[in-house]
């Protein structure tokens, strides 16, 4: 028996959570990824498979079908390969069920290096691309032809998707399912709000004037909350100062100190905004009677 075994990678697990809400909260509590939120949540909502992967770098987050993280022709693979930010993370979403339009399942968070090692060992190669033109015409192209097509030619398509040999996909799905289960067994289990809080502490500590008793939010979220009449604070050198609602429509956004936060007591207002935006982006009809707001963590 080899006693000098490698330590297990540090992996975090969130069980049976609303995947859309959790994903949107990642975009605002783990950094300013608002510009990517609409695309990523729509991708999560329309993924026909059970598994999606999001790669979080320094300034961008890219979410797509988990299969595409293993395909060199896909953007998600290239994002994982080119993201050199030391704190880059991967989030693995597994959908278990759908209720009232919402997706529920498990999420694994790990360092991107851990996922990348698995990708390198199990890289997939599609044999072609299925294309549909705007007039309804359908065609297939080999990967070589697809890669050589001009951007304007691709823009002229109504839809397109990569093609894989069925036996290759089946083999990958079986292996990925087993790997996901292995990672779950190695993971530290967290409540979603506790994991988000840990990520938000890192986001807050990157601020010019951090206040770790509060939750940092991006400028776009601060503006949305002010328009809703919610309390928002600007992080100044002398401490946080509460903003007047009129700040949402004035030129204050273009001054210095463009970092904002909310108090733990005001997380309910943030929850309502998150649920509303998630419903809007994912095309979910709101279920007001089922709205559950987070409870602030007492230790923060």
């Amino acid at each position: 028996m080899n006693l000098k075994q490698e330590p297990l990678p540090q992996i975090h697990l969130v069980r049976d959570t609303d995947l859309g809400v959790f994903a949107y909260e990642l975009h605002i509590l783990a950094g300013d990824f608002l510009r990517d939120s609409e695309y990523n949540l729509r991708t999560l909502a329309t993924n026909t498979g059970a598994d999606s992967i999001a790669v979080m770098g320094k300034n961008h987050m890219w979410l797509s079908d988990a299969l595409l993280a293993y395909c060199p022709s896909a953007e998600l693979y290239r994002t994982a390969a080119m993201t050199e930010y030391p704190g880059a993370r991967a989030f693995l979403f597994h959908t278990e069920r759908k209720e009232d339009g919402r997706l529920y399942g498990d999420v694994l968070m790990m360092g991107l290096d851990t996922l990348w090692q698995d990708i390198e060992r199990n890289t997939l190669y599609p044999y072609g691309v299925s294309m549909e033109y705007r007039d309804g015409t359908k065609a297939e192209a080999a990967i070589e032809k697809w890669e050589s097509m001009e951007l304007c030619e691709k823009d002229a398509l109504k839809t397109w998707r990569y093609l894989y040999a069925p036996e290759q996909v089946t083999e990958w799905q079986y292996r990925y399912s087993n790997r996901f289960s292995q990672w779950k067994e190695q993971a530290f289990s967290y409540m979603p709000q506790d994991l988000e809080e840990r990520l938000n502490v890192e986001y807050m500590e990157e601020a010019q004037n951090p206040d770790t008793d509060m939750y940092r939010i991006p400028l776009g979220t601060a503006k949305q909350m002010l328009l809703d009449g919610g309390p928002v604070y600007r992080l100044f050198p002398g401490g946080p100062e509460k903003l007047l609602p009129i700040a949402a429509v004035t030129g204050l956004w273009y001054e210095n100190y463009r970092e904002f936060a909310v108090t733990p007591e005001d997380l309910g207002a943030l929850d309502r905004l998150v649920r509303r935006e998630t419903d809007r982006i994912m095309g979910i009809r709101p279920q007001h009677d089922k709205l559950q707001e987070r409870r602030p963590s007492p230790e923060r």
Side-chain angles (χ1 to χ4, degrees), residues 278-296:
T278 302
D279 289 349
R280 177 185 64 81
I281 296 171
M282 300 182 72
I284 301 168
R285 296 184 62 182
Q287 301 285 326
H288 296 291
D289 58 323
K290 295 185 179 181
L291 178 60
Q292 294 183 346
E293 296 177 359
R294 81 172 68 228
R295 301 295 181 187

Side-chain angles (χ1 to χ4, degrees), residues 120-245:
E120 285 189 309
R121 289 193 296 265
N122 300 282
T123 300
L124 285 166
Y125 295 93
Y127 68 82
V129 175
S130 173
M131 304 176 291
E132 181 180 355
Y133 293 90
R134 299 187 188 281
D135 63 1
T137 305
K138 296 182 180 180
E140 290 188 9
I143 289 296
E144 293 77 10
K145 180 180 178 181
W146 172 256
E147 294 290 349
S148 66
M149 286 174 62
E150 298 291 340
L151 183 59
C152 60
E153 294 180 277
K154 296 179 180 179
D155 285 341
L157 298 172
K158 181 180 179 182
T159 60
W160 64 270
R161 63 184 178 87
Y162 291 108
L163 295 172
Y164 301 86
E167 63 274 13
Q168 187 184 24
V169 174
T170 300
E171 180 181 351
W172 176 85
Q173 289 173 333
Y174 178 76
R175 190 214 58 77
Y176 181 81
S177 178
N178 286 340
R179 195 71 181 105
F180 191 92
S181 297
Q182 291 170 3
W183 278 327
K184 280 180 65 174
E185 291 176 0
Q186 299 171 11
F188 299 89
S189 187
Y190 278 80
M191 294 296 290
Q193 60 268 29
D194 294 333
L195 181 56
E196 290 160 357
E197 179 170 333
R198 281 196 57 175
L199 294 170
N200 190 255
V201 168
E202 295 178 11
Y203 182 36
M204 176 61 83
E205 289 175 345
E206 293 174 355
Q208 187 175 6
N209 303 292
D211 186 321
T212 55
D213 290 330
M214 304 182 77
Y215 288 78
R216 184 179 172 188
I217 57 174
L219 182 153
T221 301
K223 185 172 183 178
Q224 286 178 304
M225 290 192 67
L226 285 170
L227 289 171
D228 290 342
V232 175
Y233 296 79
R234 189 195 296 274
L235 299 174
F236 281 115
E241 292 186 15
K242 191 173 183 179
L243 290 170
L244 295 174

Side-chain angles (χ1 to χ4, degrees), residues 3-220:
L3 298 179
K4 298 183 66 175
Q5 296 178 348
E6 294 183 8
L8 294 176
Q10 191 174 39
I11 303 170
H12 304 293
L13 167 66
V14 173
R15 299 180 187 273
D16 195 28
T17 192
D18 184 321
L19 298 179
V21 168
F22 184 82
Y24 188 83
E25 288 176 339
L26 285 180
H27 286 74
I28 63 174
L29 293 176
D32 184 357
F33 302 101
L34 271 179
R35 67 179 70 85
D36 302 321
S37 61
E38 299 239 358
Y39 177 87
N40 287 338
L41 263 71
R42 288 199 175 100
T43 299
L44 181 65
T46 57
N47 187 8
T48 55
D51 295 287
S52 300
I53 291 177
V55 173
M56 176 188 286
K58 178 73 172 177
N59 298 310
H60 291 283
M61 192 188 314
W62 187 277
L63 184 149
S64 193
D65 187 317
L67 181 77
L68 300 182
Y70 291 76
C71 174
S73 300
E75 187 66 33
L76 186 61
Y77 178 99
R78 289 192 283 264
T79 300
M82 296 172 63
T83 299
E84 298 179 351
Y85 173 53
R89 293 188 172 96
F91 293 84
L92 282 56
F93 296 82
H94 179 73
T95 303
E96 293 283 355
R97 67 187 191 282
K98 187 174 184 178
E99 296 178 6
D100 299 322
R102 302 185 187 283
L103 305 177
Y104 294 89
D106 299 332
V107 182
L108 288 174
M109 182 187 83
M110 63 185 66
L112 181 57
D113 286 345
T114 300
L115 176 65
W116 182 246
Q117 290 171 20
D118 192 67
I119 291 173
E120 285 189 309
R121 289 193 296 265
N122 300 282
T123 300
L124 285 166
Y125 295 93
Y127 68 82
V129 175
S130 173
M131 304 176 291
E132 181 180 355
Y133 293 90
R134 299 187 188 281
D135 63 1
T137 305
K138 296 182 180 180
E140 290 188 9
I143 289 296
E144 293 77 10
K145 180 180 178 181
W146 172 256
E147 294 290 349
S148 66
M149 286 174 62
E150 298 291 340
L151 183 59
C152 60
E153 294 180 277
K154 296 179 180 179
D155 285 341
L157 298 172
K158 181 180 179 182
T159 60
W160 64 270
R161 63 184 178 87
Y162 291 108
L163 295 172
Y164 301 86
E167 63 274 13
Q168 187 184 24
V169 174
T170 300
E171 180 181 351
W172 176 85
Q173 289 173 333
Y174 178 76
R175 190 214 58 77
Y176 181 81
S177 178
N178 286 340
R179 195 71 181 105
F180 191 92
S181 297
Q182 291 170 3
W183 278 327
K184 280 180 65 174
E185 291 176 0
Q186 299 171 11
F188 299 89
S189 187
Y190 278 80
M191 294 296 290
Q193 60 268 29
D194 294 333
L195 181 56
E196 290 160 357
E197 179 170 333
R198 281 196 57 175
L199 294 170
N200 190 255
V201 168
E202 295 178 11
Y203 182 36
M204 176 61 83
E205 289 175 345
E206 293 174 355
Q208 187 175 6
N209 303 292
D211 186 321
T212 55
D213 290 330
M214 304 182 77
Y215 288 78
R216 184 179 172 188
I217 57 174
L219 182 153

